[in-house]
């Protein structure tokens, strides 16, 4: 029998130089219509005004009846900050929250009340809006409109192979379900994400539900960990996301045979991703190297071969583009 505070939600907020966003972040917590909240903020070695802003809200947060925990550590990245916070959790439920995102006022209430009423689920997710720094109120870009994506209750593969999103503040997990399958309450520390480390252990062992209500605004900033327009940075991200997935699988509480199968699937998935990337950005050396690996394990599809040829045969992409145009003309 666990001793988690029934109905309480631990909101874990990693913060590294988040001063420009902290006011909005903390006000977003304070407007919540749910009263049983445990705020855990980890200052991950910030060198800006983050600490003073966080502490200036301590009294107001506590006066609202929330628990408040502030942790300061040397810079270890968001995953390292989450690890520190997990050791402090007293609540029945856990959600992550990035300082530059924004919660709707019922975001915590709706997800917490769902988990309280539906004990058979280990996790619940919600819809939301993608926004840019110059258009924070934009409501035109929903995370998903796919009925299949919303209905699927077994989302382990969907998360692992990027068929669904894993943004912070969009999901809430049952603490008991997470800690039952997370050794030492510690996730794999990577600078390429921390959300999957929380979601995947729960998604593998338990059902997940979806609430089709936009409850968060997810800020897309060019140059952030998840988004970049640089070829070199994008390739670095692909390599980082690949390694992140492999290490998470290694640490999962699942049979070794299944681990091996998933690692092989992730290897193939990212070889194919790199081939598509190499074709798009005309990276011939990358294409040759990755396509050779894919052929060696007999996993190259016709699509992979087309990407490979378009990227390495001079002028072929022009011919291909013209052929596609003619084809579509005839179809119309």
């Amino acid at each position: 029998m666990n001793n988690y505070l029934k109905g309480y939600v631990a909101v874990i907020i990693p913060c590294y130089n988040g001063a420009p966003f902290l006011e909005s972040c903390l006000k977003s917590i304070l407007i919540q219509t749910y009263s049983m909240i445990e705020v855990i903020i980890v200052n991950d070695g910030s060198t800006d005004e983050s600490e003073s802003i966080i502490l200036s809200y301590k009294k107001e947060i506590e006066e609202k009846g929330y628990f408040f925990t502030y942790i300061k550590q040397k810079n270890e990245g968001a995953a390292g900050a989450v690890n520190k916070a997990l050791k402090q959790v007293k609540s029945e439920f856990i959600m992550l929250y990035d300082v530059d995102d924004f919660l709707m006022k019922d975001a915590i209430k709706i997800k917490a009340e769902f988990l309280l009423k539906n004990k058979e689920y280990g996790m619940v997710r919600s819809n939301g809006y993608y926004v840019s720094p110059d258009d924070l109120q934009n409501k035109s870009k929903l995370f998903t409109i796919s009925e299949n994506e919303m209905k699927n209750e077994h989302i382990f593969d969907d998360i692992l192979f990027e068929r669904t999103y894993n943004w912070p503040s969009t999901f809430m997990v049952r603490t008991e379900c997470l800690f039952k399958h997370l050794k030492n309450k510690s996730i794999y520390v990577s600078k390429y994400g921390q959300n999957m480390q929380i979601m995947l252990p729960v998604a593998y062992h338990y059902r997940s539900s979806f609430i089709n209500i936009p409850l968060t605004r997810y800020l897309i900033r060019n140059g952030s960990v998840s988004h970049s327009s640089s070829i070199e940075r994008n390739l670095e991200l692909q390599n980082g996301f690949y390694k992140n997935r492999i290490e998470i699988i290694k640490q999962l509480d699942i049979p070794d045979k299944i681990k091996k199968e998933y690692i092989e699937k992730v290897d193939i998935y990212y070889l194919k991703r790199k081939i598509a990337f190499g074709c798009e950005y005309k990276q011939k050396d990358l294409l040759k190297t990755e396509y050779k690996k894919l052929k060696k394990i007999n996993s190259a599809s016709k699509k992979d071969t087309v990407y490979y040829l378009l990227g390495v045969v001079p002028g072929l992409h022009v011919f291909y583009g013209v052929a596609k145009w003619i084809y579509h003309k005839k179809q119309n």
Side-chain angles (χ1 to χ4, degrees):
M1 184 71 180
N2 67 68
N3 295 314
Y4 304 122
L5 295 172
K6 184 172 176 57
Y8 271 83
V9 178
V11 180
I12 295 175
I13 309 173
C15 173
Y16 174 71
N17 287 348
F21 310 102
L22 272 168
E23 296 270 356
S24 174
C25 166
L26 297 173
K27 285 178 181 176
S28 183
I29 295 289
L30 287 166
I31 65 168
Q32 291 302 301
T33 56
Y34 196 70
S35 60
M36 295 182 287
I37 295 176
E38 177 187 10
V39 180
I40 306 175
I41 305 179
V42 183
N43 182 351
D44 187 40
S46 297
T47 57
D48 62 3
E49 300 302 311
S50 290
E51 180 171 64
S52 61
I53 296 171
I54 293 167
L55 293 178
S56 72
Y57 276 85
K58 179 178 185 293
K59 182 179 179 183
E60 192 174 354
I61 290 170
E62 290 180 334
E63 284 179 347
K64 185 153 184 185
Y66 299 163
F67 291 106
F68 177 87
T69 300
Y70 173 67
I71 301 167
K72 187 176 182 179
Q73 65 177 27
K74 65 179 182 180
N75 182 245
E76 296 178 17
V82 168
N83 261 348
K84 193 66 64 74
L86 287 174
K87 310 297 189 297
Q88 304 295 320
V89 169
K90 308 181 192 73
S91 299
E92 186 177 5
F93 311 121
I94 295 172
M95 65 174 283
L96 304 188
Y97 180 31
D98 277 357
V99 294
D100 56 355
D101 296 331
F102 187 87
L103 296 174
M104 311 312 188
K105 62 185 178 65
D106 294 322
I108 296 177
K109 178 182 179 180
I110 290 174
K111 287 197 277 283
E113 288 185 347
F114 175 88
L115 289 176
L116 283 166
K117 293 174 184 175
N118 298 275
K119 307 291 185 183
E120 69 273 26
Y121 290 96
M123 173 166 53
V124 62
R125 301 186 301 148
S126 64
N127 219 330
Y129 300 115
Y130 292 113
V131 298
S132 61
D134 58 349
D135 192 4
L136 295 176
Q137 302 302 318
N138 191 315
K139 295 183 179 181
S140 65
K141 298 177 182 177
L142 282 167
F143 293 161
T144 184
I145 58 172
S146 167
E147 289 292 331
N148 289 335
E149 187 176 354
M150 296 178 199
K151 288 178 181 177
N152 186 14
E153 295 186 344
H154 304 282
I155 61 172
F156 181 84
D157 282 26
D158 284 0
I159 297 170
L160 191 64
F161 298 111
E162 300 178 274
R163 296 196 290 262
T164 192
Y165 54 88
N166 59 62
W167 312 133
S169 78
T170 64
F171 66 91
M172 185 180 291
V173 300
R174 206 176 291 278
T175 305
E176 183 179 19
C177 294
L178 176 65
F179 287 166
K180 183 177 180 179
H181 300 283
L182 195 66
K183 189 177 180 180
N184 300 321
K185 299 182 181 179
S186 295
I187 64 173
Y188 169 65
V189 175
S190 165
K191 65 179 181 178
Y192 298 100
Q194 63 281 344
N195 304 313
M196 285 198 310
Q197 288 94 308
I198 300 292
M199 296 179 79
L200 285 176
V202 179
Y204 184 86
H205 292 281
Y206 304 94
R207 291 163 63 191
S208 174
S209 189
F210 189 92
I211 297 169
N212 189 20
I213 302 173
L215 295 177
T216 187
R217 291 199 289 268
Y218 178 77
L219 181 64
I220 297 178
R221 290 185 291 129
N222 189 33
S224 69
V225 172
S226 304
H227 305 90
S228 176
S229 57
S230 158
I231 293 175
E232 293 77 14
R233 175 60 174 159
N234 266 310
L235 185 56
E236 178 193 336
L237 288 172
Q238 292 300 318
N239 290 331
F241 294 151
Y242 162 75
K243 184 179 179 183
N244 195 28
R245 281 166 169 77
I246 294 296
E247 294 302 325
I248 294 169
I249 292 169
K250 288 179 180 178
Q251 292 186 11
L252 284 174
D253 179 21
I254 63 177
D256 288 341
K257 180 183 177 182
I258 297 177
K259 283 185 184 182
K260 184 173 182 294
E261 290 172 356
Y262 270 113
I263 288 172
E264 289 173 356
K265 289 178 182 178
V266 170
D267 283 340
I268 293 169
Y269 176 73
Y270 271 93
L271 283 173
K272 290 175 178 286
R273 285 288 301 261
K274 286 183 182 179
I275 287 168
F277 176 89
C279 175
E280 182 180 357
Y281 293 103
K282 299 178 177 58
Q283 302 290 302
K284 290 185 179 181
D285 290 341
L286 177 69
L287 272 169
K288 291 175 181 178
T289 301
E290 304 307 302
Y291 186 71
K292 184 178 179 181
K293 292 177 185 175
L294 206 54
K295 289 286 285 184
K296 188 175 181 179
I297 57 176
N298 298 314
S299 295
S301 66
K302 289 181 181 178
K303 186 177 180 180
D304 300 320
T305 302
V306 169
Y307 280 144
Y308 170 72
L309 293 173
L310 286 172
V312 299
V313 178
L316 185 59
H317 66 285
V318 176
F319 173 78
Y320 181 73
V322 172
K324 275 182 69 177
W325 181 81
I326 293 172
Y327 173 79
H328 288 301
K329 267 289 191 183
K330 288 181 177 180
Q331 293 295 103
N332 296 327

